[in-house]
Amino acid sequence: MFGRLRTSFSRFRHSMRVEAAPGRGNQTHNLFESAAAHVIACAEDDQEPMDEASTWVSPEALSFGVSEPACRAVIALAREHDESPRTVARTHLGLPVA
């Protein structure tokens, strides 16, 4: 059982490792910096920066990193509009409010 936990943790830790960006020398990118660049590129519908940001960290780490700004944005919008996060998220996704 501990072997499985150690293996899982090792894989997770490896997936969170930040690597140097190609052609940028020793500069490394933080997980949330990569996620922010990816989210901005998605919002601007610009594929090139989106692809570049996705190479800065592992896909698993980027997925985790993107979910954090999304959660924070929903919370901020909910506070701004004085509504629940559920209502704001469903409205912005075009879903009926449950």
Side-chain angles (χ1 to χ4, degrees), residues 8-98:
S8 294
F9 181 71
S10 175
R11 286 181 185 161
F12 175 74
R13 191 178 65 199
H14 177 70
S15 73
M16 299 300 277
R17 188 171 295 151
V18 177
E19 301 170 1
R24 292 176 74 113
N26 278 342
Q27 183 180 1
T28 58
H29 294 280
N30 167 311
L31 167 65
F32 294 113
E33 180 183 34
S34 302
H38 190 270
V39 168
I40 291 166
C42 286
E44 294 175 346
D45 199 26
D46 195 351
Q47 189 64 42
E48 189 175 323
M50 196 182 325
D51 292 340
E52 181 182 348
S54 66
T55 64
W56 294 346
V57 294
S58 72
E60 297 86 8
L62 183 62
S63 176
F64 170 77
V66 167
S67 68
E68 184 64 24
C71 291
R72 291 179 186 200
V74 167
I75 291 168
L77 285 171
R79 287 179 182 161
E80 184 177 303
H81 294 279
D82 198 28
E83 296 179 350
S84 74
R86 177 184 305 270
T87 302
V88 170
R90 294 185 69 84
T91 300
H92 279 62
L93 291 172
L95 300 171
V97 178

